[in-house]
Amino acid sequence: MADLSSVRPYGDRLDDGIVQLSFTLPVPYALSAKQAALELARKMSLDEVEVAHYQRLCEGYTHFVVYGRCREAVDFEQLRQGSFEIQFMTEHEIDRFIDQHFHRKLVVVGASTGTDTHSVGIDAMLNAKGFDGKHGLEAYKGFDVHNLGSQVSNAQLVAEAIAVDADAILVSQTVTQQNLHLHNLTELVDLVEAEGFRNRSLLICGGPRLSHELAKELGFDAGFSRGTYPNHLGTFIVQELLARKSADVLT
Ligand code: B12
């Protein structure tokens, strides 16, 4: 059994710390390049480092695959306390869960708001086609999805959420230049609160530079970043709504 208070990567045996790294250095393909890669890997807290593979990429650049033994460990027990801990359900499990606990479709409204034109993230979550072979929520039997697209004002998103009595409001933000996303996300939270809708609906954001911690700080219920699949979002929505329904928190 792994000691979850001190977790290390493993390759052959539990706790052996073995990792594989791949990276490119802007140096010519030569023995000195290999030395540079080994030295760098040691500086990354790796022991017993070896270059498993290296090759010339183009003039002046070399690519490496390096193995090593990681000295560091993390306290997984402590990390998962107070963080966002859910076991992801599949599309079919989520649909069954909705059927069993809600006896109706759950309504979600989403958009990429403000001046942000990046629609791929919100489409990945919502459109039937989904992302990386996983359906978006539109393809689920248990969700009624309203995807408003991109460059939608926060006011429009909130108005639509109120009009359809949304169970969850979803916002995607990609452009972070000059903290635009922070202003926009804060404005959305303020608007939902001003409309008296904050306790009626979950408020969820996503985007490549967001984290769950940042989202919570800004007043959202959850934040999702890279590597998110629609079933991750779906799992959060159904479990959180049920928890709130049981605790009688949603009005
Ligand atoms: C495609 C693209 C565009 C397209 C967008 C087309 C479209 N319809 O979306 C176009 C060409 C229009 C575009 C324009 C611009 N872009 Co652009 N674009 C990209 C690019 C190449 C890919 C983005 C993408 O689609 N990723 C794929 C999706 C699936 O990933 P994702 O959005 O992260 O979504 C995942 C998660 O974040 C999460 N998620 C996202 N949203 C949500 C929402 C919810 C509710 C949940 C649960 C999860 C979730 O789940 C998704 C799946 O895992 C990136 C660079 C890159 N390689 O990332 C630059 C990039 C995002 N663009 C950038 C910039 C600067 C711009 C412009 C400002 C450029 C310019 N000067 O005109 C304009 C912005 C215009 C505007 N007003 O917004 C910068 C952003 C820098 C920053 N941090 O601010 C990037 C990073 C490029 C760069 N390196 O400079 N862009």
Side-chain angles (χ1 to χ4, degrees), residues 115-122 124-125 131 151 170-172 174-177 204-209 224-228 233:
T115 55
D116 204 326
T117 193
H118 297 87
S119 57
V120 183
I122 194 73
M125 293 300 109
F131 171 63
Q151 293 194 324
L170 313 176
V171 60
S172 179
T174 303
V175 175
T176 58
Q177 285 164 338
I204 299 169
C205 60
R209 304 282 170 89
F224 291 83
S225 192
R226 283 211 168 100
T228 302
L233 170 65

